Structure formats: structure tokens, C-alpha cells
Amino acid sequence: METRPVVFGEVLFDVFPDGTEVMGGAPFNVAWHLQAFDLRPLFVSRVGDDALGRAIRNAMRRWGMDLAGLQTDPVHQTGTVKVSLREGEPTFDIKGDQAYDHIDPDRLPALPEGSLLYHGSLALREADSRTALTRIKEASKLRAFVDVNLRPPWWKKETVLALVQAATWVKINGDELALLVPESNDRPEQ
């Protein structure tokens, strides 16, 4: 039996001050790299019925990625993030109410058995996508790898802690750990 990873979450465009638009989003980047290793991920997300959404769909087609999990939203736009630098560090202005916030739980594709589920925390800010992820977890019993991505104001401590507790593996940096568990002694030396 072939196992395929399931990747759930945002696909968006990072928009830089010079107008450059770069396709991304942590889950999409993971799916794209898994495809490069010929692991044929099932990427579950949602894009708008707009030029950016068509660009994502066309890029996935060119790279031979499975489009079965990519939904098209007739109302909400494809996600964008304005990226800028403040004191040499990137800052992100993430728009709310984007297509990936509304992954339709009633339009999920058939899921592979016995694989791994990768998801982040950003795409779970709206009920539609949270419900879709819950259905995937309930239907598949896949082991979960959670990529914590705390971007203000788009996260709630209780929600992220519940994701972490239900995960098999977690990717988290020291700053995120300090925000979620301030009393933790398990942080890197400063």
C-alpha cells in the first residue's frame, strides 16, 4: 500500500514592497517540496476564483501536483500577505477572511490511509477550515505533524495548545514556546 502525506492549510502570495509576489504559505511550501521528492502529497486548501488562484492552480499542474484537494472559492480572494522589514526583521500583514479560511468540509477529497497529516495553525482561524481539519482527523486517524506559526492577531493560546497536545510531532521555535508556555524551562539559551 502506497502512503501519501496529507498537507492541510494555506496557500497564498507574499507581496513585497517592490510589488514582487511570491507563492507560499508554510503548508504549500511543504507540499511543494514533498512533490519534488516524488511523495505525491494530497494538498488540501482553497483559493479564490481570481488571477492569483489561477496562478496557484497552474503552478501545481506544471509541477505535477494533485489538484483533488484544492478548492475554488467564488466569494473569497486568494490569500495575500504584505511583507515588510522593520529593523532588519520581516513583518507580516496577513489579511483576514481569505479563501484558505473557508476550506469546505463537505468538499474534502478521499484521504489516503496510514500516512502523515501536516498542518499549521494559521489556516484554522475561521470555523470552516477548523471543521474541515477536524473531519480529516476523525475520518483518517492520521498521525499529525503540527507546524506552529503564531502570527498576531491570528491565534488563540487555547486553540494552539489543543493542536499541540493532539499532535504526534510539533515544530515550534523558542519565541513561540515562550508565548504558549511561559513557565517552560525548556528554552534555548539566549
Side-chain angles (χ1 to χ4, degrees):
M1 174 175 74
E2 177 187 21
T3 59
R4 295 176 60 202
V6 176
V7 180
F8 178 96
E10 69 273 9
V11 57
L12 49 79
F13 274 87
D14 291 317
V15 181
F16 293 87
D18 67 357
T20 302
E21 297 175 336
V22 177
M23 200 176 314
F28 179 76
N29 289 338
V30 167
W32 177 54
H33 284 90
L34 289 171
Q35 179 67 23
F37 286 110
D38 200 28
L39 294 176
R40 300 182 44 246
L42 175 60
F43 179 59
V44 179
S45 191
R46 193 166 173 100
V47 296
D49 187 11
D50 52 30
L52 293 178
R54 286 185 289 281
I56 290 166
R57 192 171 291 283
N58 289 336
M60 288 178 67
R61 233 182 246 113
R62 277 193 318 275
W63 299 329
M65 294 177 75
D66 186 348
L67 293 166
L70 187 64
Q71 301 174 3
T72 300
D73 190 314
V75 176
H76 301 93
Q77 294 180 331
T78 299
T80 59
V81 175
K82 282 185 155 182
V83 181
S84 56
L85 288 178
R86 251 186 236 143
E87 298 175 15
E89 292 294 320
T91 61
F92 306 95
D93 179 15
I94 302 170
K95 288 179 134 184
D97 204 28
Q98 302 293 282
Y100 66 80
D101 291 313
H102 301 281
I103 299 169
D104 187 342
D106 295 326
R107 292 183 50 210
L108 294 171
L111 299 170
E113 293 294 322
S115 189
L116 167 72
L117 168 65
Y118 168 99
H119 69 87
S121 53
L122 181 60
L124 303 176
R125 42 189 198 172
E126 296 292 337
D128 292 334
S129 291
R130 284 194 307 272
T131 300
L133 180 65
T134 299
R135 287 209 188 148
I136 288 172
K137 287 181 171 184
E138 289 172 350
S140 65
K141 306 291 187 226
L142 297 177
R143 296 166 293 153
F145 182 109
V146 175
D147 185 350
V148 175
N149 194 348
L150 305 182
R151 298 282 190 243
W154 304 116
W155 66 279
K156 291 182 182 155
K157 184 175 181 177
E158 309 77 43
T159 303
V160 176
L161 286 174
L163 294 172
V164 167
Q165 290 171 346
T168 307
W169 302 276
V170 176
K171 176 192 155 286
I172 189 168
N173 67 36
D175 292 336
E176 292 163 339
L177 180 61
L179 287 170
L180 289 174
V181 189
E183 65 278 5
S184 172
N185 292 328
D186 195 17
R187 283 184 260 158
E189 294 296 319
Q190 300 296 333

